[in-house]
Amino acid sequence: MNFLEDLELYNNAMYNAYDFITGRTDLDYLEDRMNYDDLEDYPLPFNPYEEDGKSSAVIDIVISHFITLEEYEKCAELTKIKEECENDSEI
């Protein structure tokens, strides 16, 4: 893999993580697409069989990525989800 391919893979992983974290896609949808469509890979910065991506560490990485792209609406939505998850874990 060269630098541009690595960069594209990383970018795809961040957008995929955003979709998972915000509930736009889920593991069932992903498995269906991989079984019935021509989807060969779906990069994520976490293992979707072990977690939902809503840990502070994962969300912080995704937020940092979207800050560099100046996609502040995505950052705001992710920050809200992160705060909700942190509040839920305190109960």
Side-chain angles (χ1 to χ4, degrees), residues 18-54:
Y18 172 79
D19 287 344
F20 253 84
I21 293 166
T22 60
R24 287 173 172 77
T25 194
D26 60 17
L27 193 54
D28 291 333
Y29 175 77
L30 174 60
E31 288 175 339
D32 286 345
R33 286 204 48 211
M34 292 188 91
N35 288 331
Y36 302 110
D37 293 342
D38 59 355
L39 183 67
E40 294 178 14
D41 62 355
Y42 194 87
L44 286 165
F46 60 91
N47 183 339
Y49 292 101
E50 295 178 7
E51 66 173 294
D52 61 2
K54 293 183 180 178

Side-chain angles (χ1 to χ4, degrees), residues 14-89:
M14 295 300 109
Y15 276 98
N16 292 341
Y18 172 79
D19 287 344
F20 253 84
I21 293 166
T22 60
R24 287 173 172 77
T25 194
D26 60 17
L27 193 54
D28 291 333
Y29 175 77
L30 174 60
E31 288 175 339
D32 286 345
R33 286 204 48 211
M34 292 188 91
N35 288 331
Y36 302 110
D37 293 342
D38 59 355
L39 183 67
E40 294 178 14
D41 62 355
Y42 194 87
L44 286 165
F46 60 91
N47 183 339
Y49 292 101
E50 295 178 7
E51 66 173 294
D52 61 2
K54 293 183 180 178
S55 69
S56 292
V58 171
I59 293 175
D60 286 343
I61 291 169
V62 179
I63 288 172
S64 293
H65 177 73
F66 287 118
I67 286 172
T68 62
L69 299 177
E70 298 181 0
E71 293 197 39
Y72 301 118
E73 296 83 13
K74 285 181 173 57
C75 296
E77 186 175 4
L78 290 165
T79 299
K80 182 178 177 184
I81 291 169
K82 179 182 172 185
E83 290 170 355
E84 290 170 358
C85 291
E86 289 173 347
N87 289 338
D88 288 345
S89 67

